[in-house]
Amino acid sequence: MSETASKSINIFICLIGLILLCFGASLALAGPTGEEVMLKLDQRDEGQDQVSRSLQILINRRGQERKRSSIYIKKNYKGQDGFDTKTVIFILSPPQVKGTAFMNWSYLQDDKDDDQWLYLPALRKVRRLSASEKEDSFMGTDFTYDDMGDRKVEEDLHKLLRSETLDGKECYVVESVPKKKGYMYSKKETWVVRDEWIPLRVEYYDRKKRHLKTLTYGGWKELKGVWVVGRMEMANHQTKHRTVLTMSDTEVNAGVDENTFRERTLKKGLRKSYFKKR
Amino acid sequence: MIKIINLFLDFPKLTIAALLLLTMFFGFQLKNLRFETDTNANLPQNDPAFIYNDLVEDIFNSKDVFIVSIFEKGPEGIFDPQTLALVERLTERIKEVDGVIEKDVMSLSTIKNIVGTTAGFRVGRFMKTVPETPGEIRELKEALYENDTYIGSILSADGQATSIFAKMEEDRGKWSGVYYDIKKLLSLEPAGGRKFYVAGMPVLEVTFGIYMQQSMEKMFPLVILVIVLMLYGVFRGLRGVLLPLFIVIGADIWAMGIMAMCGVPMYVFSTIMPIILMAIGIADGIHVLEKYYQLVGGGLVTDRRSIVKETFAEMWSPVVMTSLTTAAGFTSLVSNQMLAIRAFGLFTAVGVIAAMIFSLTLLPATLAMLKAKGPKRVKNDSLGKSRALDRGFFGFALTRLGKIMYTQRGKVLAALAVVFAFCLYGLTLLTSEGSWMETLQEESEVRTADRALNSKFDGTVRLNVVFEGVKQYDMQSPEVLKAMAELQKDLARDETVGGSISLADFIQRMNQVMNEGRRKFRVVPDSQELIAQYLFLYSMSGEPGDFDEYVDYDYRLANVIFFLKTDHSRATARVVDRVNGFFSRHKELKGLKINMAGAGFLTLAWVESLVRGQLWSIVSSLVAVFLITSLMFRSWAAGLINGVSIAGAMLINFGLLSLAGQPLEVSAAISSGIIIGIGVDYTIHFIYRYRLAVAQNNDSSQATMTTMITSGRAITFNALVVIAGFMVLFASDFTPSVTMGVHVAIGMFVCFLMAMTFLPAILNTFKPRFIFS
């Protein structure tokens, strides 16, 4: 190849590169829409299942704490048989509620309520709970069921506010306003890490548009290509009550058995070996 | 001293100008005088009961509440869509009022029910949305009566009234703002057939200040009028009226000006200071003028300067003595636990000293400039000379009394001894009583609201019984919860207790709904695990803060709230005794500690500590009287006679009070300091004059008569003016002021009687050496 030819090819490549760069830059400048960010967040790969030791600390305004430790097992069905996820929680301590177990089945179908079961050892009976309200507190914490991820993306109108760095990570800040009136939050702002599509912070505003709660995520780790969270803290600014959830010994794609999510398991508890394995 | 007074006499214009300048200076300070409405100043600062109460308020977020009640007489009571919508609307608006803690507003639209489900139970608001159809309303009504936890507090048993409870932020300065904001909200609502009431202890505290100021504005002109009339009645001359009046007004300006300079605000309680100061500051002027008129009428001295000189030669000493003892009486209030009372005592003492300064400067200066002229009663007396003094009604009566005190002295003392013994017996029956609610008049808005609420609800006054366990989760123990429930039942037998609420109520309700809602399962279950798991189940649908008011976060402390129908300390004392009795019977709860708090308990603690404190200050005032008068007359016997005669007056005072079946109230206890302070004036004046008379002719019979018609006359006039001045307090809208007026008026009368009977009788009987040397 002649020198001029190769030169002109080089120039051509440079030009193309430049055009692509400009295009890319303009794309990046325009960025995704708020809704796209929230969909990416929602559809992030969470693996097939997840097993963690979870410590729940409730802290009141005087700094007093209530601690509860449990085993947390979740399986993602991704629409298989209509299921979205199945979750079980086995409480290990404090001793008075040891052996208490809670199970939740959630469905992909929009209008289908979750099914929930609770086993209280003192009553020796597994009881089916009536569907919780989305606005109900999740097991007496500062989280509501919606805060735990039950809220559907299409229920809100999303707007990308800006990009900014949080904890050294480039984040999109998305504002979400409910489409229907009367929801417990008038507005929610979410910080989503670009590319990884994991949340770092959510700010909640009450019906009167006053700052209500802040949810902070921390300790993100990538396991087998799946991002898992290590710590979630929800602080209610109005009641000055806080909930800290920490997840440790987390495993993903551990091959959780289908039979774990049965009423029988709630009552019998997990076999000792189940814990030993992890 | 007399030389200094003569100086004022020599330079009258300069003296008056200086006084005027000083008074203008203090008057100018008045613009800095601040009115303090924070009612904390009315509470004892370091009382353990109050410190513990703050702790309880902090731990359980348990505070006194503003109560807004809606009364609806209709056949359906409050169960119609409009009223229920109104409850919801008002609840939301009250939440937005500045000073109200939003999440701590409680009403029909916020309270939660525990309902049985296939899963056990779940927690949800009784009224998620305002019911509109008759069916929905019936459902709400049935739910509220089935789970009767809130019957008596939020909803009346007959369904004709409902209440909204609003908790206040710590800052008491915002409370009156909250009160007016709520009143405004209510005024915007169409009342229709409804009635609105705003009640609760915070309302009482807020309106308290308003009532007190209003009644002061009414009484100030009244006390001036009374003093003018009394002075005219006694002296019948312009100078006899104007000079003492200038003295007390000047003393008021000085006292308040100095208070402003010290940066001390006018507390609700100290608003009676100017009035009281007027009634007592008049004393020195009366004694001095009485002596002056006696000299003018006596006709022995005619030169006006000599008359004034002689007046003060005799009077300066008793004037200084009596002012000091009166000031000491008020200063004894400085030991009081209430900041407002301390300020009142201190600055009234300052005012008394100011009145003394005026009496020793303004009087000699003006009298020296005015032509010596007596009042009509002296001038018109053709016989002239000193004989005029035993004429007229007072002259006649005092002469007779003097005779009796000399000839019948033994019988008088014996009679008094019987009275003392009788009163001493009465004293042993004395009980204390106090109530914030009763500080306001029967028809006042607050008490009307309180009565209305007490007729429909459990009660507006709270008494908290705090269970203190040793370790975490102690309050989940079945024994403790059962004791709680039993205590609630036991106390409900007292008529003062309208209702109560505790963690046990909620546990019992949970147990009931877990057992198909059967009534017999409304008990505390026997297993601690079960109780813990009920609470866990509750947390599945409840909120983390739902039980904050009843149990602390560790389940180590629990708060049982009792609603009392009254805040009278005697009624509360009875309930407190019942609580203590309950725990001494239940030995199985030994590890548990019990403490009490809440407005009801605080009123009790407040009354007891104030009354106890006041009794101590009576004792210390008596000791002060003994020491000061011993020093003045340079004789222990003199101190003893003064002290005993005042102590006797106090004994009669409290003894009669008790024999009349009246309890000792806070304002009565406080008036004792005032009575001692003024009462000792009489004994000092009397003894001083008596000693002079004895020194002149060494005849106790003659001395008694002379003292009676001279000093006795001044004492009588003084007593009349002071009693009339304090009677002005009867016109107050504020019950403690009225009580204080009654007590001081009676107390002064007793002191007067003691000075005119006990004193001459005892002096004539024992002929103490400091007089008959």
Side-chain angles (χ1 to χ4, degrees):
Chain A
M1 211 185 281
S2 78
E3 210 178 287
T4 44
S6 80
K7 210 175 194 175
S8 60
I9 286 169
N10 274 347
I11 290 170
F12 182 71
I13 289 169
C14 280
L15 260 174
I16 293 218
L18 205 68
I19 290 165
L20 275 177
L21 202 72
C22 288
F23 193 66
S26 70
L27 251 185
L29 266 176
T33 64
E35 180 149 353
E36 280 163 358
V37 173
M38 295 313 277
L39 275 171
K40 285 264 196 191
L41 178 69
D42 192 53
Q43 290 158 5
R44 170 175 61 92
D45 179 21
E46 291 184 22
Q48 281 148 17
D49 53 44
Q50 181 180 337
V51 181
S52 302
R53 233 170 236 283
S54 149
L55 179 65
Q56 197 183 80
I57 311 172
L58 307 184
I59 306 157
N60 75 355
R61 77 200 142 81
R62 305 180 74 238
Q64 289 174 303
E65 297 183 351
R66 280 181 193 164
K67 287 182 186 166
R68 201 144 68 192
S69 74
S70 53
I71 294 284
Y72 172 89
I73 305 170
K74 179 177 171 185
K75 193 170 168 70
N76 294 314
Y77 281 78
K78 297 165 185 167
Q80 183 196 331
D81 301 328
F83 290 115
D84 183 12
T85 59
K86 287 184 184 175
T87 313
V88 281
I89 295 170
F90 295 94
I91 294 186
L92 304 175
S93 73
Q96 298 94 319
V97 290
K98 187 181 173 181
T100 301
F102 170 70
M103 178 162 73
N104 187 85
W105 291 1
S106 77
Y107 302 93
L108 213 56
Q109 202 183 318
D110 270 3
D111 52 355
K112 188 159 182 192
D113 285 328
D114 292 5
D115 281 317
Q116 295 178 330
W117 293 263
L118 183 71
Y119 174 68
L120 294 173
L123 293 167
R124 292 181 192 82
K125 224 164 98 181
V126 176
R127 289 165 184 270
R128 176 96 177 257
L129 297 178
S130 45
S132 350
E133 307 278 333
K134 303 289 180 197
E135 304 185 10
D136 275 353
S137 153
F138 169 73
M139 295 177 89
T141 66
D142 290 291
F143 291 88
T144 63
Y145 281 94
D146 265 7
D147 298 342
M148 298 296 287
D150 262 15
R151 185 131 178 116
K152 305 266 186 313
V153 175
E154 57 271 24
E155 288 179 85
D156 298 313
L157 279 174
H158 306 276
K159 190 169 109 194
L160 181 66
L161 294 178
R162 59 186 182 272
S163 299
E164 68 178 34
T165 332
L166 182 67
D167 300 340
K169 296 209 163 146
E170 212 31 52
C171 290
Y172 294 115
V173 185
V174 179
E175 180 192 80
S176 310
V177 178
K179 289 177 183 168
K180 263 198 238 162
K181 271 195 173 174
Y183 186 54
M184 62 177 158
Y185 304 130
S186 60
K187 185 175 84 170
K188 182 173 93 174
E189 284 171 11
T190 314
W191 276 253
V192 181
V193 179
R194 187 194 284 186
D195 302 332
E196 282 147 17
W197 309 110
I198 53 174
L200 281 189
R201 181 197 286 171
V202 188
E203 301 283 5
Y204 298 90
Y205 295 84
D206 70 5
R207 286 191 181 87
K208 288 174 202 156
K209 301 194 166 112
R210 281 169 310 188
H211 199 186
L212 177 64
K213 298 196 288 192
T214 301
L215 168 58
T216 319
Y217 294 86
W220 285 104
K221 259 194 311 196
E222 201 176 2
L223 293 176
K224 300 181 186 168
V226 176
W227 282 98
V228 292
V229 71
R231 184 176 192 278
M232 289 162 79
E233 175 175 339
M234 181 69 95
N236 187 319
H237 306 297
Q238 289 173 11
T239 60
K240 308 273 185 254
H241 195 276
R242 281 186 299 146
T243 300
V244 178
L245 287 179
T246 54
M247 310 290 212
S248 56
D249 305 336
T250 303
E251 261 192 65
V252 292
N253 300 338
V256 171
D257 187 356
E258 184 80 14
N259 291 333
T260 311
F261 306 99
R262 291 195 311 183
E263 287 188 35
R264 258 170 57 92
T265 327
L266 292 186
K267 194 167 175 178
K268 287 176 69 182
L270 292 175
R271 270 173 288 112
K272 283 255 162 60
S273 59
Y274 202 95
F275 298 99
K276 277 204 185 127
K277 238 168 70 187
R278 321 208 159 260
Chain B
M1 186 71 175
I2 189 67
K3 281 183 189 147
I4 303 171
I5 294 170
N6 286 340
L7 217 61
F8 301 137
L9 213 147
D10 292 336
F11 303 98
K13 283 182 184 150
L14 199 66
T15 307
I16 291 170
L19 274 176
L20 209 62
L21 264 168
L22 266 172
T23 308
M24 273 166 66
F25 170 74
F26 288 129
F28 195 63
Q29 300 297 324
L30 287 180
K31 70 171 175 31
N32 297 326
L33 191 63
R34 212 157 44 79
F35 276 84
E36 178 63 70
T37 48
D38 184 348
T39 46
N40 254 327
N42 298 319
L43 305 175
Q45 304 297 304
N46 300 312
D47 192 289
F50 283 78
I51 293 168
Y52 185 74
N53 190 66
D54 285 349
L55 190 71
V56 170
E57 283 190 4
D58 185 43
I59 294 172
F60 298 107
N61 192 23
S62 182
K63 293 173 188 152
D64 285 304
V65 290
F66 264 107
I67 307 171
V68 179
S69 284
I70 303 162
F71 281 48
E72 172 69 70
K73 273 238 163 69
E76 293 303 313
I78 59 125
F79 288 100
D80 70 77
Q82 287 83 26
T83 312
L84 292 170
L86 171 73
V87 170
E88 203 214 17
R89 191 167 60 239
L90 273 177
T91 305
E92 291 310 307
R93 294 204 175 141
I94 289 171
K95 280 182 182 176
E96 284 170 29
V97 169
D98 182 36
V100 169
I101 304 174
E102 188 190 347
K103 67 173 181 65
D104 287 335
V105 176
M106 208 168 130
S107 76
L108 272 187
S109 69
T110 69
I111 52 173
K112 293 172 187 165
N113 194 5
I114 302 173
V115 254
T117 62
T118 49
F121 62 80
R122 64 171 280 116
V123 189
R125 282 193 287 159
F126 280 100
M127 201 168 111
K128 288 211 119 151
T129 52
V130 177
E132 275 158 9
T133 67
E136 285 173 344
I137 289 182
R138 199 180 328 112
E139 227 172 87
L140 172 69
K141 199 170 172 177
E142 276 165 11
L144 281 162
Y145 285 100
E146 192 270 322
N147 171 9
D148 55 5
T149 312
Y150 296 102
I151 303 297
S153 53
I154 297 289
L155 179 66
S156 72
D158 61 5
Q160 292 192 345
T162 181
S163 288
I164 303 171
F165 292 166
K167 275 188 197 164
M168 300 298 107
E169 285 173 19
E170 213 93 330
D171 179 7
R172 280 166 192 255
K174 281 186 177 171
W175 287 16
S176 71
V178 170
Y179 176 66
Y180 288 113
D181 284 355
I182 289 179
K183 294 280 280 181
K184 204 173 150 201
L185 281 180
L186 294 177
S187 71
L188 296 176
E189 295 292 347
R194 296 181 198 111
K195 268 205 181 108
F196 297 121
Y197 293 104
V198 186
M201 293 303 276
V203 178
L204 183 66
E205 287 192 29
V206 167
T207 42
F208 183 65
I210 305 165
Y211 279 102
M212 192 113 184
Q213 268 162 24
Q214 273 175 358
S215 63
M216 280 315 117
E217 280 158 24
K218 188 166 88 186
M219 282 188 292
F220 201 71
L222 203 58
V223 76
I224 291 185
L225 182 73
V226 167
I227 285 176
V228 166
L229 285 176
M230 291 305 290
L231 286 172
Y232 186 76
V234 171
F235 291 131
R236 315 229 164 217
L238 200 59
R239 69 180 75 167
V241 172
L242 286 184
L243 289 178
L245 196 63
F246 285 151
I247 291 176
V248 285
I249 291 175
D252 261 350
I253 294 173
W254 282 34
M256 287 195 284
I258 292 171
M259 193 160 90
M261 277 170 76
C262 295
V264 175
M266 189 72 139
Y267 296 106
V268 170
F269 188 84
S270 33
T271 48
I272 52 169
M273 183 182 104
I275 291 171
I276 287 181
L277 205 46
M278 289 206 123
I280 58 179
I282 211 95
D284 295 338
I286 291 178
H287 281 283
V288 171
L289 280 171
E290 178 59 27
K291 178 73 204 169
Y292 169 80
Y293 282 145
Q294 282 169 15
L295 285 174
V296 171
L300 294 173
V301 214
T302 46
D303 166 36
R304 65 181 177 203
R305 279 178 46 96
S306 310
I307 291 177
V308 179
K309 259 190 186 163
E310 200 177 322
T311 304
F312 281 92
E314 183 183 326
M315 293 313 291
W316 78 265
S317 169
V319 162
V320 170
M321 276 199 245
T322 55
S323 298
L324 287 182
T325 48
T326 305
F330 280 102
T331 314
S332 78
L333 292 176
V334 170
S335 68
N336 197 285
Q337 287 185 312
M338 275 162 67
L339 185 61
I341 292 183
R342 286 208 293 270
F344 162 75
L346 188 65
F347 289 98
T348 310
V350 168
V352 168
I353 299 298
M356 175 191 88
I357 294 173
F358 271 101
S359 302
L360 296 179
T361 54
L362 182 74
L363 283 182
T366 39
L367 290 177
M369 293 197 326
L370 296 169
K371 213 175 109 198
K373 198 172 81 174
K376 286 183 194 113
R377 70 171 157 92
V378 181
K379 209 167 71 180
N380 293 345
D381 196 293
S382 53
L383 290 168
K385 317 255 164 177
S386 62
R387 289 180 59 194
L389 285 170
D390 53 28
R391 285 296 186 94
F393 169 71
F394 286 114
F396 179 72
L398 289 167
T399 317
R400 293 285 309 176
L401 194 63
K403 263 195 195 117
I404 295 169
M405 287 313 134
Y406 186 74
T407 54
Q408 316 279 323
R409 55 185 182 264
K411 281 182 193 157
V412 168
L413 285 181
L416 279 172
V418 172
V419 172
F420 286 160
F422 204 51
C423 289
L424 207 58
Y425 162 73
L427 211 56
T428 60
L429 307 173
L430 197 61
T431 53
S432 62
E433 170 74 300
S435 153
W436 280 99
M437 198 52 82
E438 281 219 340
T439 56
L440 301 182
Q441 286 193 328
E442 194 87 36
E443 325 78 73
S444 62
E445 208 184 323
V446 185
R447 283 187 67 182
T448 310
D450 199 63
R451 265 197 310 278
L453 261 69
N454 275 332
S455 72
K456 295 278 182 194
F457 296 101
D458 288 349
T460 52
V461 182
R462 287 177 179 220
L463 172 75
N464 303 55
V465 177
V466 179
F467 284 54
E468 293 189 6
V470 181
K471 55 185 194 301
Q472 211 180 359
Y473 300 120
D474 271 4
M475 292 303 130
Q476 291 182 358
S477 126
E479 289 80 47
V480 172
L481 288 164
K482 279 177 182 170
M484 250 180 233
E486 232 181 288
L487 176 71
Q488 288 174 267
K489 264 191 210 133
D490 188 54
L491 259 61
R493 294 195 194 106
D494 192 296
E495 56 180 7
T496 312
V497 179
S500 59
I501 191 162
S502 77
L503 181 64
D505 290 324
F506 291 96
I507 301 290
Q508 289 175 335
R509 170 69 186 169
M510 291 177 207
N511 196 49
Q512 181 192 11
V513 295
M514 288 298 277
N515 290 284
E516 296 82 42
R518 277 179 291 168
R519 202 72 206 177
K520 69 166 185 175
F521 284 98
R522 195 151 190 160
V523 289
V524 175
D526 291 320
S527 144
Q528 178 152 359
E529 276 69 36
L530 187 59
I531 291 165
Q533 288 167 30
Y534 279 168
L535 287 165
F536 181 82
L537 182 59
Y538 183 97
S539 77
M540 297 297 292
S541 50
E543 270 167 77
D546 280 354
F547 297 137
D548 278 2
E549 198 161 353
Y550 313 109
V551 68
D552 89 322
Y553 219 62
D554 289 341
Y555 285 98
R556 191 178 69 79
L557 311 170
N559 177 25
V560 186
I561 305 170
F562 290 92
F563 299 98
L564 309 185
K565 297 259 183 205
T566 162
D567 74 333
H568 280 82
S569 65
R570 273 203 292 195
T572 312
R574 208 172 51 223
V575 178
V576 167
D577 283 347
R578 218 179 232 281
V579 173
N580 291 329
F582 179 87
F583 283 97
S584 59
R585 277 201 308 280
H586 287 72
K587 300 272 186 266
E588 76 275 12
L589 301 167
K590 247 202 277 171
L592 215 65
K593 264 192 7 197
I594 294 300
N595 264 307
M596 278 170 264
F601 189 70
L602 287 191
T603 306
L604 174 64
W606 177 72
V607 169
E608 285 190 340
S609 89
L610 273 188
V611 167
R612 209 180 313 119
Q614 259 344 96
L615 292 178
W616 269 113
S617 97
I618 291 175
V619 172
S620 62
S621 302
L622 287 175
V623 171
V625 163
F626 170 73
L627 290 177
I628 293 175
T629 49
S630 294
L631 202 69
M632 282 169 175
F633 292 106
R634 295 179 204 289
S635 150
W636 294 117
L640 201 64
I641 289 173
N642 274 295
V644 167
S645 115
I646 296 300
M650 298 313 290
L651 178 64
I652 294 176
N653 228 14
F654 287 126
L656 287 180
L657 178 80
S658 177
L659 287 172
Q662 294 296 310
L664 183 60
E665 287 174 63
V666 171
S667 56
I670 290 166
S671 358
S672 57
I674 303 174
I675 299 170
I676 294 178
I678 315 173
V680 72
D681 289 8
Y682 302 163
T683 60
I684 291 174
H685 276 294
F686 194 97
I687 294 174
Y688 192 84
R689 189 71 188 81
Y690 185 86
R691 184 163 72 167
L692 265 179
V694 169
Q696 273 162 16
N697 48 24
N698 209 17
D699 173 358
S700 57
S701 159
Q702 187 58 46
T704 309
M705 299 309 269
T706 315
T707 311
M708 276 294 191
I709 55 172
T710 55
S711 196
R713 186 184 203 102
I715 290 170
T716 311
F717 291 169
N718 183 308
L720 282 173
V721 175
V722 172
I723 289 170
F726 272 94
M727 275 160 105
V728 169
L729 290 176
F730 295 0
S732 173
D733 297 326
F734 191 66
T735 326
S737 300
V738 180
T739 318
M740 182 178 269
V742 173
H743 277 277
V744 176
I746 295 175
M748 290 332 299
F749 187 66
V750 174
C751 283
F752 159 74
L753 284 181
M754 284 294 283
M756 305 295 275
T757 59
F758 177 76
L759 217 46
I762 209 133
L763 291 175
N764 288 333
T765 309
F766 292 101
K767 297 197 167 36
R769 246 191 304 159
F770 73 98
I771 290 171
F772 297 91
S773 51

